[in-house]
Amino acid sequence: MAKISNTTVYPTIIPTVNDYVVLTDVNDNNATKTSKLSDFQAFFGITTLQITLTAAEILALNTNPKILLTANAGEYILPISSVMKYTYANVAYTFAGQLELRMGAGTPNAIAYWPASSLFNGVNNVVAWPLEPASSYEYGNAAGGDSLTLGATGVNPTGGDGGTLTINVQYRIVKF
């Protein structure tokens, strides 16, 4: 049997969440078993979501913030990091304010924001990380069950011709 360090027999790859790893199950007489990398994410309590918004969702971000994730009662979403990608199509969107990542629907629950008017009103593709608000914040509902949402301040964006906005958020669900 070849050694794992033999990269001719076992080529090196960049893993994805659906790839398998081989491990020893010490609770089953050291039986050899497999697990997906996504199982390790769950074991460590970290999950990643990636959502691409349609043009209609982008144009309604003020009046109808996009729900990205909803927690159950007694659960609290704790975002660890986020990044957003705007892919320009034919006509740029016009944002008057900023985009906010929120714990709930309203601006008082913003946990991070992007200065959208300066980032997404052009004809270039943009990848940007958010800024954090200057004030402290708390969950809108002490009983848990809040939703992680993406919304625009001021008014709905205008324009746009099929350009997409993709947000990637790494998070944990905390239960007390």
Side-chain angles (χ1 to χ4, degrees):
M1 181 173 193
K3 294 186 181 224
I4 292 174
S5 60
N6 183 341
T7 56
T8 302
V9 176
Y10 302 112
T12 302
I13 64 165
I14 296 173
T16 65
V17 294
N18 289 318
D19 286 340
Y20 289 94
V21 293
V22 177
L23 51 90
T24 301
D25 185 351
V26 296
N27 293 320
D28 189 12
N29 285 331
N30 291 335
T32 302
K33 298 184 178 178
T34 61
S35 185
K36 286 186 175 184
L37 286 177
S38 59
D39 297 327
F40 285 89
Q41 278 187 309
F43 176 75
F44 289 111
I46 299 172
T47 307
T48 302
L49 69 83
Q50 183 165 299
I51 296 175
T52 300
L53 282 70
T54 66
E57 290 171 323
I58 294 169
L59 291 170
L61 279 173
N62 178 262
T63 54
N64 191 23
K66 173 70 176 173
I67 296 173
L68 306 174
L69 178 68
T70 299
N72 295 316
E75 295 179 342
Y76 304 87
I77 302 166
L78 179 61
I80 299 167
S81 66
S82 60
V83 66
M84 184 177 295
K85 179 179 181 182
Y86 165 57
T87 304
Y88 172 78
N90 299 316
V91 177
Y93 293 96
T94 300
F95 285 87
Q98 59 192 28
L99 289 173
E100 294 179 333
L101 187 61
R102 305 168 178 160
M103 290 307 302
T107 295
N109 299 322
I111 58 173
Y113 71 95
W114 290 263
S117 58
S118 62
L119 290 174
F120 303 107
N121 288 357
V123 296
N124 298 315
N125 296 334
V126 174
V127 175
W129 64 88
L131 303 170
E132 292 186 20
S135 61
S136 63
Y137 40 83
E138 61 188 58
Y139 288 93
N141 181 2
D146 288 321
S147 294
L148 182 66
T149 63
L150 181 68
T153 62
V155 297
N156 283 324
T158 60
D161 186 17
T164 59
L165 200 56
T166 301
I167 184 165
N168 181 297
V169 180
Q170 191 176 51
Y171 67 94
R172 291 179 48 219
I173 300 289
V174 177
K175 299 176 188 179
F176 291 104

